[in-house]
Amino acid sequence: MISVIMGLQFGDEGKGKITDFISKNYDDVVRFNGGSNAGHTVVINGNKFKFHLIPSGALQSDTVILGNGMVIEPEELISEIKLLTNANKKIIIKISSGAHIVTKMHKLLDKKEESIRSKLNIGTTSQGIGPTYEDKYARTGIRMIDLSNKNILKNKIETIYNMKMELLKDSVYSDEQERNRMIDELYNMGQSILKYMDYTEITVNEAYNNGRNILFEGAQGGMLDIDFGIYPFVTSSNTISGALSTGSGFSYRKVDKVIGVFKAYTSKVGAGPFPSEIINDSTLRDLGSEYGTTTGRPRRVGWLDLPLLKYTAMINDVDSLAITKVDILGKLDTIRVATKYILDGKEINYFPKRLEDFDKLKLEYKEFKGWGNIENDADIINNGYSALPEKMKWYIEFIENETHKNIDIISLGEDRKMTIVKQIFN
Ligand code: GDP
Ligand code: IMO
Ligand code: MG
């Protein structure tokens, strides 16, 4: 079985939790996009793991692969490898020789670029993601393999510095000695991580040929995609299922199943249009502890947005849905779901590319009653779907009817055990 799991909203849908839950069925878990802008939380019997770079399937699979589409900050990588090897000593880690390296200079550039954007400020995670992808496409980027050669590192850092001098001239990196220190640091970190480096496009295709089960784990969410998200309030990589091919060297034609994860409501970190946002009421944010895993920033929250979900389900070609945080949403007395987008009096099924159109956009909503606190945990764990409150089932079945997709996995708590499978699933 070859599957890919993707976020269908603005990130933080609970992909980490669902990936961990299903990864027991897979031998290899592969990440193929983004970097430590991602923050994925996995909770097992109260023990919390936060992954930014390492795939969230790492606790139950044999091998994890960090593909060429990723941008990797070596210091963060080293600390996550430590965390992981303490928790699951047998795991095999492989990192693509072509993955790009994020340096401290890229992180500084990220902040500097944000300060220049003014009104179109994105609210990035300040993890250096954008500037690293800029260098990748400018063909000046540092790749994993370059960590093995100090001269190449020197050459590349100088090239990046010269290209971005206008932004860096007042920073510590205007001092050549500081740049040299960074090069030494990168080289030294390389010494401890190069042993994980591999030609992972070969590894993953060989794994397929050997009949292994492979799960591709997407970071971020469909509405943060550089092409199909609400540009420019997006991340710098493609965050849709098709990106697994360019981000790992494995053909999408071999994928059996696309699993789309969405929250029972919507959340977003950072700036930009958020059509179903709940303004001036932090109840849902507080109930759901909606604070960023990476930055700790309060997340903006809103109602489930069906036009958005249908759009990302289409772009990702989703076969099966997983819903999370149903326990949280049910605590509200009244729940709303956005069902239609109306622009200039007409229903639309796309996302406006003209930002001003979002000011004119009208949403239609349907209301549901909350299902209260979940108090029959053991009953639900033992008996699954049939033990769910009726009002929750109406909500779930309404979404299935609207999207024409099955919701096969239902998550009712942060812990791995609070997950039920509606239909036979593997
Ligand atoms: P990801 O980026 O998509 O992996 O999601 P994050 O881990 O950044 O954010 C999701 C948050 O919700 C994490 O704190 C999870 O532990 C938590 N979570 C996931 N699923 C559920 C759920 O069904 N119920 C509750 N209460 N929390 C959940
Ligand atoms: P996971 O994988 C939520 C958002 C940032 C910002 C925009 C661009 O945990 O779902 P970037 O640092 O990528 O240049 O920021 O994208 N963003 C995320 N929001 N979850 C994420 O990842 C995100 N990764 C990036 O908040 O609005
Ligand atoms: Mg997250």
Side-chain angles (χ1 to χ4, degrees), residues 67-116:
N68 56 279
M70 287 188 71
V71 289
I72 295 174
E73 208 271 288
E75 207 173 321
E76 172 64 28
L77 178 70
I78 290 168
S79 91
E80 279 186 49
I81 290 179
K82 258 197 208 129
L83 180 107
L84 179 62
T85 41
N86 285 340
N88 177 4
K89 293 217 160 52
K90 294 189 306 282
I91 191 89
I92 298 169
I93 303 168
K94 293 187 188 270
I95 305 169
S96 167
S97 50
H100 279 252
I101 297 294
V102 182
T103 70
K104 295 204 167 98
M105 195 160 84
H106 289 101
K107 288 190 171 180
L108 193 131
L109 282 165
D110 197 345
K111 291 206 173 108
K112 188 82 193 164
E113 289 180 4
E114 279 282 81
S115 72
I116 293 173

Side-chain angles (χ1 to χ4, degrees), residues 42-59:
V42 175
V43 184
I44 304 154
N45 297 327
N47 289 326
K48 202 171 258 191
F49 297 86
K50 290 188 179 185
F51 297 114
H52 299 282
L53 292 170
I54 298 277
S56 315
L59 299 168

Side-chain angles (χ1 to χ4, degrees), residues 12 39-40 293:
D12 300 329
H40 302 155
T293 311

Side-chain angles (χ1 to χ4, degrees), residues 110-145:
D110 197 345
K111 291 206 173 108
K112 188 82 193 164
E113 289 180 4
E114 279 282 81
S115 72
I116 293 173
R117 280 187 191 110
S118 72
K119 255 190 162 171
L120 289 178
N121 187 288
I122 300 164
T124 71
T125 58
S126 311
Q127 294 297 308
I129 307 299
T132 307
Y133 280 116
E134 283 166 29
D135 287 347
K136 171 174 177 172
Y137 290 102
R139 291 152 294 170
T140 53
I142 303 164
R143 305 217 287 182
M144 183 73 187
I145 197 154

